[in-house]
Amino acid sequence: MTKHFQRELEKIKKKILSLGAMVEERVRMAIKAIEEFDGEVAKKIIFSDHEIDEMEVEVEEECLKVMALHQPVAVDLRFLVAVIKINNDLERIGDQAVNIAQRVKTITKKERFDFVFDYSVMAEKAASMLKMSLDALVNMDDDLAFKVLLLDDEVDEIKEEAYNLIKRAIPENPDNVSYLINLLLISRHLERLADHATNIAEEVIYMIEGEIVRHGKR
Amino acid sequence: MTKHFQRELEKIKKKILSLGAMVEERVRMAIKAIEEFDGEVAKKIIFSDHEIDEMEVEVEEECLKVMALHQPVAVDLRFLVAVIKINNDLERIGDQAVNIAQRVKTITKKERFDFVFDYSVMAEKAASMLKMSLDALVNMDDDLAFKVLLLDDEVDEIKEEAYNLIKRAIPENPDNVSYLINLLLISRHLERLADHATNIAEEVIYMIEGEIVRHGKR
């Protein structure tokens, strides 16, 4: 590997990590928006999404440039393809933060209704999954990546719990159906966010082990 | 471009199209399951999803092999990266067909309830989007791909319509909340299915025009 190529790879690694940090920040904001019913934070998330979109495009362009110029093989090629896919998932995590923000914005327009499903545990788990999957990428740590896969099941369980609670609350609160459905949808956005973090972790494992762990083959 | 490389590219194109056809078939089955409340068809979709997963893995492996062996540049490199991303979206469309199937399975366990939201138009639109995006890929037809982007807005509109209707139906049918929420979720799965078809169309445009149309820059 030439020094120039090595520098380019480092640059890409740094860039995808800044994107990761940016997305993580949005997810933190989304959690704050949910927990504090903060419509203003929600608006900030929505208005700044274009920054993530632009960064995603940059990362992909950079990867394609390096591929064309240095024609990597084996582990380096796999790394670049993984970055392109992880990049994609990060952008979609940003979209989920926006989706959550939109729900919070809708909810906060009306007076606050008493029913509360505490999303803090689920949201924290989803945010940790993102952080762990990015750490796994930086440190090429497949053990850590596997932990993300386990957490995903826990997030799914909480989603089911939210679903059951909200389903039962709806007939008792016919005037707040819309509020309750929005709460339900927040849990689904969190679940999808966690799914994308899982995709990232799987990509990291795949990259390290050169083995397909997707689709539950492990 | 060597003849061997050209043959490999053709092989990959053929493979991604068979995966596309397979996924299209599952989407058709999912529509049938919705329209006819057919729990048996739903089960078939769920049980055969692993075939799609396996094919996705194959396509990606093939792309990486060809990249390493032939070190493509410019348009060929972009094509292979696009295939890797489209491949990913196709697999996730398969997942949405499974999600729909799971909802139908749940619904059909109980006696059929009278409220019906006619998903045929939305489902047909989503299925057309998938078909069109794959045709756009085969024929490198960016006009057709742009039409997919327009249809996506129509699907979103119908989803909103379903949401509003179901939200209103819920307080009037407190005993069928779970059924109605399942209906609501079906519309969201269809929407996500359409989103993935849109991603494919955007990839095709990007490939043809070498320009980023994602994130509404056009």
Side-chain angles (χ1 to χ4, degrees), chain A residues 56 60-61 85 206 215, chain B residues 56 60-61 85 206 215:
Chain A
E56 188 218 356
E60 187 170 315
E61 286 299 296
K85 293 171 78 183
Y206 177 46
H215 316 311
Chain B
E56 188 218 355
E60 187 171 315
E61 286 298 295
K85 293 171 78 184
Y206 176 47
H215 317 311

Side-chain angles (χ1 to χ4, degrees), chain B residues 31-213:
Chain B
I31 295 177
K32 186 174 150 68
I34 298 171
E35 288 180 353
E36 302 176 9
F37 274 65
D38 191 332
E40 288 310 309
V41 171
K43 273 185 213 160
K44 268 189 209 151
I45 296 171
I46 297 166
F47 288 138
S48 58
D49 187 46
H50 67 98
E51 294 168 14
I52 289 176
D53 294 347
E54 283 156 21
M55 184 90 123
E56 188 218 355
V57 171
E58 254 180 57
V59 171
E60 187 171 315
E61 286 298 295
E62 202 64 45
C63 287
L64 276 159
K65 219 177 71 191
V66 170
M67 278 173 156
L69 215 63
H70 297 278
Q71 314 207 315
V73 292
V75 61
D76 298 325
L77 175 61
R78 206 174 274 277
F79 171 76
L80 287 167
V81 168
V83 166
I84 288 174
K85 293 171 78 184
I86 289 170
N87 189 40
N88 214 313
D89 277 303
L90 284 174
E91 188 267 325
R92 293 187 196 179
I93 291 178
D95 286 344
Q96 293 309 320
V98 170
N99 287 342
I100 291 170
Q102 253 144 359
R103 297 290 143 206
V104 172
K105 224 180 84 189
T106 307
I107 285 179
T108 49
K109 272 185 203 150
K110 282 201 195 179
E111 216 170 303
R112 190 161 174 175
F113 164 53
D114 229 16
F115 177 92
V116 179
F117 182 85
D118 183 1
Y119 279 121
S120 56
V121 177
M122 184 177 187
E124 275 309 322
K125 276 191 207 286
S128 305
M129 286 170 68
L130 173 58
K131 195 178 168 7
M132 284 162 73
S133 66
L134 291 171
D135 285 347
L137 174 67
V138 192
N139 304 314
M140 288 287 172
D141 181 346
D142 55 345
D143 283 338
L144 188 60
F146 271 113
K147 282 186 192 140
V148 176
L149 272 49
L150 299 176
L151 271 175
D152 194 40
D153 292 332
E154 295 178 25
V155 167
D156 284 349
E157 267 170 42
I158 304 179
K159 184 202 69 180
E160 282 307 312
E161 210 181 293
Y163 174 76
N164 289 325
L165 269 174
I166 293 169
K167 196 177 67 182
R168 271 195 305 253
I170 285 176
E172 292 155 19
N173 301 282
D175 294 338
N176 286 291
V177 169
S178 152
Y179 170 94
L180 288 164
I181 291 181
N182 275 302
L183 269 200
L184 182 76
L185 294 178
I186 286 175
S187 81
R188 303 194 79 85
H189 295 316
L190 284 171
E191 181 221 1
R192 283 171 67 187
L193 199 159
D195 278 349
H196 287 295
T198 304
N199 291 343
I200 294 174
E202 284 171 348
E203 249 345 288
V204 171
I205 296 168
Y206 176 47
M207 203 171 21
I208 296 172
E209 308 200 345
E211 169 199 345
I212 303 278
V213 291

Side-chain angles (χ1 to χ4, degrees), chain A residues 150-168:
Chain A
L150 299 176
L151 272 175
D152 194 41
D153 292 332
E154 296 179 24
V155 167
D156 283 350
E157 267 170 42
I158 303 179
K159 185 203 70 180
E160 282 307 312
E161 210 181 294
Y163 174 77
N164 288 326
L165 268 173
I166 293 169
K167 196 177 69 183
R168 271 194 305 249

Side-chain angles (χ1 to χ4, degrees), chain A residues 18-217:
Chain A
S18 336
L19 176 59
M22 198 190 260
V23 170
E24 223 184 299
E25 164 70 11
R26 300 307 148 89
V27 170
R28 290 271 156 219
M29 285 165 76
I31 294 177
K32 187 176 150 67
I34 298 171
E35 288 181 353
E36 303 176 9
F37 275 65
D38 191 332
E40 288 311 309
V41 171
K43 273 185 212 159
K44 269 189 209 149
I45 296 170
I46 296 166
F47 288 137
S48 59
D49 188 47
H50 68 97
E51 294 168 14
I52 289 175
D53 294 347
E54 284 155 22
M55 185 88 125
E56 188 218 356
V57 170
E58 256 179 56
V59 171
E60 187 170 315
E61 286 299 296
E62 202 64 45
C63 287
L64 275 158
K65 221 177 70 192
V66 170
M67 277 173 157
L69 216 63
H70 297 278
Q71 315 207 314
V73 292
V75 62
D76 297 325
L77 175 62
R78 206 173 273 276
F79 171 76
L80 287 166
V81 168
V83 166
I84 289 174
K85 293 171 78 183
I86 289 171
N87 189 41
N88 214 313
D89 277 303
L90 284 175
E91 190 266 326
R92 293 186 195 179
I93 290 177
D95 286 345
Q96 292 309 320
V98 170
N99 287 343
I100 291 169
Q102 254 145 358
R103 295 292 143 204
V104 172
K105 225 180 82 190
T106 308
I107 284 178
T108 50
K109 271 185 204 150
K110 283 203 195 176
E111 215 170 303
R112 190 161 172 175
F113 165 54
D114 229 18
F115 178 91
V116 178
F117 182 84
D118 183 3
Y119 278 122
S120 56
V121 177
M122 186 180 187
E124 276 309 322
K125 275 191 207 289
S128 305
M129 285 170 70
L130 173 57
K131 196 177 166 6
M132 284 161 72
S133 66
L134 291 171
D135 285 346
L137 174 67
V138 192
N139 304 314
M140 290 288 173
D141 181 346
D142 55 343
D143 283 338
L144 189 60
F146 270 114
K147 282 185 191 141
V148 176
L149 273 47
L150 299 176
L151 272 175
D152 194 41
D153 292 332
E154 296 179 24
V155 167
D156 283 350
E157 267 170 42
I158 303 179
K159 185 203 70 180
E160 282 307 312
E161 210 181 294
Y163 174 77
N164 288 326
L165 268 173
I166 293 169
K167 196 177 69 183
R168 271 194 305 249
I170 285 176
E172 293 155 19
N173 301 282
D175 294 338
N176 287 291
V177 169
S178 155
Y179 169 94
L180 288 164
I181 291 181
N182 275 302
L183 269 200
L184 182 77
L185 294 178
I186 286 176
S187 81
R188 302 194 79 83
H189 295 317
L190 283 171
E191 181 220 1
R192 282 170 67 186
L193 200 159
D195 277 349
H196 287 296
T198 304
N199 291 344
I200 294 175
E202 285 170 345
E203 247 347 288
V204 171
I205 297 168
Y206 177 46
M207 202 171 22
I208 296 173
E209 310 202 343
E211 166 198 348
I212 303 278
V213 291
R214 284 176 293 166
H215 316 311
K217 282 207 177 152

